[in-house]
Amino acid sequence: GQQLNQSPQSMFIQEGEDVSMNCTSSSIFNTWLWYKQDPGEGPVLLIALYKAGELTSNGRLTAQFGITRKDSFLNISASIPSDVGIYFCAGQRQGAQKLVFGQGTRLTINP
Amino acid sequence: DTEVTQTPKHLVMGMTNKKSLKCEQHMGHRAMYWYKQKAKKPPELMFVYSYEKLSINESVPSRFSPECPNSSLLNLHLHALQPEDSALYLCASRDRGNSPLHFGNGTRLTVT
């Protein structure tokens, strides 16, 4: 099935650095979601975006719903060790039951 | 803590065994999902129940049989699985409209 283009696939950064990742699609979505998954656990919802142009923060995390409705980005400021994990974007169309997932961004932090 | 509870956390089964995975949510969500996730890959949709009725089956082999006894419970019955079915099985639920999906912590299944 369709997948979103999520980049980068992996990131290796120093503690304290800012992080940026994004997802793009060839078609529009009405909802963009960002999840984080730790090893052996299920994905945890970080931020949900419902409106084109919307910019939403959750602590050190900020996400934006692209104005074209075909992309979204997630920024993490001042990274800390517990930010390590895999981040997935997901898009949802109006009235659809299915989510379309990106391939994930694996974040590794060097202390 | 997740509000979607899955049991067991780990399961090892032989190819001739019959086992069941269980999922429970008490958020009043009307849609419940089963996903399969392989290592380093995104979750892959298997089934969706909406108002306790099966609404999506993503061409899943019949050795996987879902069941929704009521609006809070979702089961996945397993029979005659193959080693390649080993994966993390995730349950999720959501409310109506464009509300986001909430995942459980999954069952790590190993088929020997």
Side-chain angles (χ1 to χ4, degrees), chain B residues 50-62:
Chain B
S50 179
Y51 291 90
E52 301 166 45
K53 288 188 171 25
L54 183 65
S55 58
I56 295 178
N57 176 343
E58 291 285 277
S59 302
V60 178
S62 60

Side-chain angles (χ1 to χ4, degrees), chain B residues 19-37:
Chain B
K19 296 286 184 184
S20 296
L21 309 185
K22 297 188 181 301
C23 175
E24 190 168 359
Q25 59 88 13
H26 292 289
M27 296 179 282
H29 290 173
R30 306 311 296 199
M32 295 186 76
Y33 295 64
W34 280 115
Y35 281 88
K36 174 183 177 180
Q37 188 179 29

